[in-house]
Amino acid sequence: MARCRLLLFLAALFSIFGLLHASAGDADPIYSACVDQCEKTGCVGDECSQHCNFTSGGIPVDGPWYLQEPLYLRWKQWDCLSDCRYHCMLAREKERKKVGLKPVKYHGKWPFQRVNGIQEPVSVALSALNLAMQFHGWVSFFIFVNYKLPFRPNRKPFYEYTGLWHIYAIFAMNSWFWSVVFHSRDVNLTEKLDYSSAVALLGFSLILAVLRVFNVTDEAARVMVSAPLVAFVTTHILYLNCYQLDYGLNMKVCLGMGILQLILWAVWAGVTRHPSRWKLWVVVIGGALAALLEIYDFPPYRGFVDAHALWHATTIPLTYLWWSFVRDDSEFRTTTLIKKAK
């Protein structure tokens, strides 16, 4: 009997704990009732979901196999429950707006307006632009180092960080690619890929910052510096994917790595005589201000533009200036090494 009471107490405690950590929107009983009703009828007011006529495998509930939902619609993995949540969220937000209430989050996300099945169209477009800017910056750096700067006698670039910047470009483009996919459709797989890619990019950026700021050129020293950071980032990614996707912990880790590398670049820009240090200052200050958008969260304007989307917008010009600094740095180091060789 005592064990039963203990189990009931713990169950009640965990349920209360879950409610305290649930979003305000999905904890709303009116919203919950709407979702339950929609799953039975397939409709919310005049809005009806075609996915409520299909099973999770895309097979019609009442129909032959050849009426399966097309693949170009099934890849987004919208189903009856997700459609019902979306339409009930919009209906509930309209009701709240009429009585002067502010938007709230539903299942951890702000109420966004979908466009052709895309959850956050503005963030998708801006992520794609960031991907394009990273690709443009990498190609321009590749052309500059390989076709405009002199080579060593062994046909290798004078710039000792060429290979590291190529790796950085791959991490950056990979991160923005998965950002596009994740903001198109938020499911467990795309969420983990987006978070993992962002952590990997921040981790490698921190390694690159340490190596460049302290001018570490010896291969053995680079391995010694990089190994602890690689181990930390790998452990964190495995923790997120295999144990628990802890949003709070991940935010702290990402902010910590981001702030640390901004401090390193800022201090280096203050003490170095690099001719393009002003570009570094702009990127550092702009990056710090942009990071505030990730901390200061606000609901999307007209259901499209939120703080995260604005952060994506700010990184576009900063990316262009960043790769411009990298090209200037390669020219500066090459000129310096050639003068020393003479």
Side-chain angles (χ1 to χ4, degrees):
M1 188 66 179
R3 289 183 178 179
C4 291
R5 289 177 180 176
L6 179 60
L7 290 173
L8 289 173
F9 170 75
L10 290 174
L13 184 63
F14 289 140
S15 64
I16 293 172
F17 182 82
L19 287 172
L20 289 173
H21 285 75
S23 300
D26 48 272
D28 185 352
I30 299 177
Y31 166 79
S32 300
C34 173
V35 173
D36 292 339
Q37 183 64 24
C38 174
E39 286 190 286
K40 297 176 182 176
T41 63
C43 296
V44 179
D46 296 331
E47 294 286 343
C48 294
S49 171
Q50 62 171 345
H51 296 95
C52 290
N53 296 324
F54 294 88
T55 66
S56 58
I59 302 173
V61 175
D62 297 314
W65 63 270
Y66 53 81
L67 291 179
Q68 287 187 6
E69 189 177 28
L71 285 174
Y72 70 89
L73 293 176
R74 290 172 58 188
W75 75 270
K76 296 175 182 176
Q77 295 189 25
W78 291 111
D79 53 21
C80 185
L81 176 59
S82 58
D83 262 0
C84 285
R85 285 178 173 177
Y86 174 71
H87 292 303
C88 286
M89 174 187 70
L90 294 185
R92 185 66 184 123
E93 282 302 306
K94 287 182 180 178
E95 295 172 357
R96 290 174 56 85
K97 188 176 181 180
K98 288 180 181 178
V99 296
L101 296 176
K102 295 181 179 180
V104 294
K105 289 186 176 183
Y106 295 79
H107 306 284
K109 298 183 73 69
W110 289 113
F112 286 95
Q113 291 276 359
R114 282 181 355 202
V115 175
N116 294 326
I118 298 175
Q119 278 184 290
E120 302 174 41
V122 175
S123 289
V124 169
L126 293 174
S127 295
L129 283 174
N130 274 284
L131 173 59
M133 290 303 300
Q134 291 287 353
F135 180 74
H136 172 270
W138 174 51
V139 170
S140 64
F141 170 72
F142 180 86
I143 293 173
F144 187 78
V145 170
N146 288 278
Y147 296 99
K148 295 185 179 181
L149 293 180
F151 280 80
R152 297 176 186 269
N154 60 0
R155 299 301 300 165
K156 290 184 178 180
F158 277 94
Y159 189 50
E160 315 97 318
Y161 304 94
T162 301
L164 293 175
W165 284 115
H166 288 329
I167 298 172
Y168 167 83
I170 294 171
F171 275 110
M173 289 186 290
N174 175 71
S175 178
W176 285 113
F177 171 79
W178 288 115
S179 178
V180 171
V181 175
F182 170 66
H183 290 299
S184 298
R185 181 67 175 100
D186 176 7
V187 296
N188 186 53
L189 177 61
T190 59
E191 184 178 40
K192 287 183 176 180
L193 286 169
D194 177 57
Y195 279 51
S196 300
S197 300
V199 171
L201 172 60
L202 282 170
F204 188 79
S205 300
L206 179 57
I207 292 172
L208 188 50
V210 172
L211 297 180
R212 181 63 188 95
V213 166
F214 294 100
N215 198 26
V216 182
T217 57
D218 182 71
E219 291 297 328
R222 286 184 175 185
V223 172
M224 290 179 65
V225 171
S226 304
L229 292 172
V230 170
F232 171 76
V233 171
T234 304
T235 302
H236 181 63
I237 292 174
L238 289 173
Y239 178 86
L240 294 178
N241 285 274
C242 303
Y243 183 70
Q244 181 184 3
L245 191 58
D246 191 324
Y247 302 99
L249 174 64
N250 186 63
M251 178 63 74
K252 292 175 183 176
V253 170
C254 289
L255 281 176
M257 291 193 295
I259 291 172
L260 182 56
Q261 58 190 283
L262 285 178
I263 292 173
L264 286 172
W265 287 117
V267 172
W268 187 68
V271 299
T272 187
R273 295 182 179 180
H274 200 290
S276 297
R277 59 185 177 274
W278 69 270
K279 294 181 181 180
L280 197 55
W281 275 116
V282 174
V283 172
V284 168
I285 296 172
L289 294 175
L292 296 176
L293 292 171
E294 287 291 274
I295 300 172
Y296 177 66
D297 196 15
F298 58 82
Y301 177 71
R302 295 186 179 275
F304 292 104
V305 182
D306 67 333
H308 190 69
L310 290 179
W311 175 73
H312 285 333
T314 60
T315 54
I316 295 172
L318 292 178
T319 298
Y320 179 83
L321 197 61
W322 179 243
W323 278 106
S324 176
F325 165 77
V326 174
R327 292 193 300 272
D328 292 347
D329 187 51
S330 65
E331 184 177 17
F332 173 69
R333 284 294 300 166
T334 299
T335 304
T336 302
L337 291 171
I338 290 175
K339 288 180 179 179
K340 287 183 177 180
K342 291 180 180 179

